[in-house]
């Protein structure tokens, strides 16, 4: 495995770096990175419904969409992000435990008991400190995650919205009651005091786990292409926000595997346009499914028949045909 040293704190650059390495460089990679205060939106989410827009704009917090599914997360310089890019091999789609094991093991060495407590979260004493997501490209997989070491919890709480259905389903009083900083659980005698200490410890832990671990230095052409991708995609309002679709019908459902909502525009009883949002994970482009639904009669039998012609779980990991049908009609 190769590693990349990346000291850039611009979130748009860092997400462009991930995509460039995934899609253009051969081999397997690991890198650590940090962002200035940022909300990173899951690929399939409706940005405006996930953020407190007035607060975000007032505080100058970046908002950027990533390639992978899942929910919105807050980054700042007290948070460390880690990325693995590997061949899929025999890994099951969205096998989060394989990639988060090094984190759990390192914290164990520091006397902290961490555990995998949901489809994509790591927790200490039931409080989340790491959110993870994955994106599959051809025969490669990108796994990335957050590690709250000493993040500004007030900023995290104030910049993100918590949907009513999530509060009702989990009995949550606040975001702050269910998140934790790693620093608060490290013993007073530990040599790890600052986020930079933890970052160094994680890097050394990864190095010791690998038989081969060598640095890849980005070439000038690499850097040029990353900046180009940043400018053409991650700097664009259309990618990060996008227009809210005009819709005659809006349906929203919360399932065990996540949240899905649909915006549907009808014309003469046919689906003229449909947009599907949510915090779900997908191994295929959701736009392909949306395109397939356009022109269909907005009738339960016709939609059900169409869903039988596709592998719904490839578009909505962990969801059934019946659940997706229910969110559409």
């Amino acid at each position: 495995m190769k590693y990349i040293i990346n000291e850039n704190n611009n979130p748009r650059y860092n997400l462009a770096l991930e995509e460039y390495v995934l899609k253009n460089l051969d081999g397997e990679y690991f890198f650590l990175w940090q962002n200035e205060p940022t909300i990173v939106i899951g690929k399939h989410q409706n940005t405006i419904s996930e953020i407190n827009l007035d607060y975000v704009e007032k505080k100058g917090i970046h908002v950027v969409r990533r390639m992978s599914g899942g929910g919105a997360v807050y980054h700042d310089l007290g948070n460390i992000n880690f990325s693995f890019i590997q061949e899929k091999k025999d890994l099951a789609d969205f096998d989060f435990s394989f990639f988060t094991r090094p984190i759990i093991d390192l914290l164990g060495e520091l006397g902290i008991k961490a555990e995998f407590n949901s489809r994509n979260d790591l927790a200490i004493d039931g409080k989340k400190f790491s959110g993870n997501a994955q994106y599959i490209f051809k025969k490669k997989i990108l796994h990335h995650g957050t590690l709250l070491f000493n993040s500004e919890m007030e900023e995290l709480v104030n910049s993100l919205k918590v949907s009513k259905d999530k509060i009702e389903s989990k009995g949550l009083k606040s975001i702050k009651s269910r998140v934790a900083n790693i620093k608060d659980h490290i013993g007073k005698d530990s040599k790890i005091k600052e986020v930079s200490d933890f970052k160094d410890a994680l890097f050394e832990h990864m190095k010791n786990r690998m038989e081969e671990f060598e640095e890849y230095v980005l070439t000038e052409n690499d850097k040029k292409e990353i900046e180009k991708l940043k400018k053409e995609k991650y700097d664009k309002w259309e990618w990060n926000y996008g227009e809210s679709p005009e819709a005659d019908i809006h349906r929203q459902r919360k399932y065990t595997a996540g949240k899905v909502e649909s915006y549907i525009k009808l014309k003469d009883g046919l689906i003229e346009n449909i947009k599907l949002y949510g915090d779900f994970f997908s191994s295929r482009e959701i736009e392909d499914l949306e395109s397939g639904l356009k022109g269909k009669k907005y009738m339960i039998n016709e939609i059900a028949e169409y869903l039988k012609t596709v592998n719904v779980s490839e578009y909505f990991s962990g969801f059934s045909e019946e659940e997706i049908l229910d969110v559409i009609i």
Side-chain angles (χ1 to χ4, degrees):
M1 177 172 283
K2 299 174 184 177
Y3 64 88
I4 296 173
I5 300 296
N6 175 34
E7 301 296 341
N8 198 311
N9 298 139
N10 184 304
R12 293 176 173 83
Y13 176 90
N14 289 332
L15 290 173
L17 167 64
E18 277 192 321
E19 181 171 351
Y20 175 80
V21 173
L22 174 69
K23 295 183 176 180
N24 296 280
L25 298 184
D26 295 329
E28 299 185 337
Y29 294 84
F30 171 80
F31 42 99
L32 300 172
W33 44 290
Q34 292 173 276
N35 283 335
E36 298 167 347
T38 304
I39 295 177
V40 182
I41 301 292
K43 182 179 180 182
H44 309 299
Q45 291 187 296
N46 185 345
T47 301
I48 294 300
S49 68
E50 300 296 329
I51 67 174
N52 288 323
L53 184 60
D54 290 344
Y55 186 84
V56 165
E57 291 184 341
K58 177 182 176 181
K59 301 290 285 190
I61 297 170
H62 299 282
V63 176
V64 60
R65 187 184 300 278
R66 62 179 184 265
M67 292 187 296
S68 58
V73 291
Y74 175 78
H75 293 180
D76 62 17
L77 294 176
N79 171 76
I80 298 171
N81 304 294
F82 64 95
S83 300
F84 290 93
I85 294 173
Q86 292 190 231
E87 299 295 327
K88 275 184 66 176
K89 298 179 181 177
D90 296 326
L91 292 175
D93 290 355
F94 309 114
D95 180 3
F96 291 93
S97 60
F98 177 87
F99 294 99
T100 54
R101 174 51 56 185
I103 309 300
I104 293 174
D105 290 347
L106 172 61
L107 290 176
E109 292 174 7
L110 297 175
I112 301 171
K113 183 180 179 181
E115 58 187 357
F116 196 74
N117 78 330
S118 71
R119 61 174 183 156
N120 62 321
D121 294 343
L122 294 178
I124 300 170
D125 294 333
K127 292 188 176 184
K128 175 181 174 179
F129 70 90
S130 174
N132 293 263
Q134 294 181 351
Y135 178 80
I136 295 169
F137 175 74
K138 296 182 177 179
K139 294 184 178 181
K140 298 172 74 176
I141 187 167
L142 162 68
H143 178 107
H144 49 194
T146 61
L147 294 168
L148 296 174
F149 182 81
N150 191 28
S151 285
E152 294 291 339
M153 290 300 185
E154 292 299 326
E155 296 291 83
L156 184 155
V157 170
N158 291 329
S159 58
L160 288 171
K161 288 182 181 178
V162 180
S163 62
K164 182 180 178 182
D165 59 8
K166 184 172 285 189
I167 292 172
E168 291 174 347
S169 67
K170 296 188 177 182
L172 301 176
K173 294 182 179 179
S174 69
I175 298 176
K176 196 172 182 179
S177 69
R178 58 190 176 98
V179 292
N181 271 320
I182 295 169
K183 185 176 181 179
D184 295 337
H185 296 269
I186 292 179
K188 294 181 180 179
D189 295 332
S190 175
K191 294 180 180 179
I192 295 177
K193 305 295 185 184
E194 306 296 335
V195 66
S196 58
D197 301 328
F198 184 71
K199 185 177 179 181
D200 290 343
L202 178 55
F203 180 81
E204 286 301 313
H205 183 78
M206 285 300 304
K207 183 177 181 181
N208 293 335
R209 292 176 76 100
M210 298 294 172
E211 292 183 7
E212 295 182 9
F213 202 53
E214 61 181 32
E215 183 177 4
Y216 176 82
V217 179
L218 296 172
T219 67
E220 290 306 311
N221 184 66
D222 291 336
K223 295 175 184 178
K224 178 181 176 182
E225 292 300 317
I226 293 166
E227 288 289 350
K228 179 181 178 184
L229 180 58
K230 171 183 174 291
K231 181 178 180 180
E232 295 179 353
K233 181 175 181 178
Y234 291 100
D235 282 346
K236 297 282 185 148
W237 180 89
E238 290 80 2
W239 169 253
N240 295 319
Y241 284 85
E243 294 185 15
S244 296
E246 181 183 356
D248 300 310
I249 298 167
H250 173 224
R251 292 170 67 84
Q252 181 175 300
R253 297 289 185 270
K254 177 71 177 176
Y255 303 114
T256 302
K259 174 182 172 181
V260 185
E261 58 180 322
S262 63
Y263 289 82
I264 302 167
K265 178 70 175 175
L266 301 178
K267 183 176 182 180
D268 299 328
L270 304 179
I271 297 176
E272 183 179 31
N273 193 32
I274 180 170
K275 185 65 182 173
L276 298 164
Y277 290 111
D279 61 0
F280 53 88
F281 296 105
S282 176
S283 58
R284 296 193 63 177
E285 298 299 329
I286 199 67
E287 291 81 4
D288 294 342
L289 182 68
E290 293 167 344
S291 295
L293 287 165
K294 291 178 183 178
K296 297 288 188 294
K297 294 178 183 177
Y298 191 65
M299 298 176 64
I300 192 166
N301 290 343
E302 182 146 342
I303 303 304
E305 284 301 312
Y306 172 72
L307 291 178
K308 291 182 185 300
T309 69
V310 301
N311 187 340
V312 167
S313 65
E314 291 182 346
Y315 295 99
F316 302 91
S317 179
F319 292 79
S320 67
E321 288 180 19
E322 291 75 17
E323 288 172 332
I324 300 307
L325 179 64
D326 185 47
V327 84
I328 295 174
I329 191 167

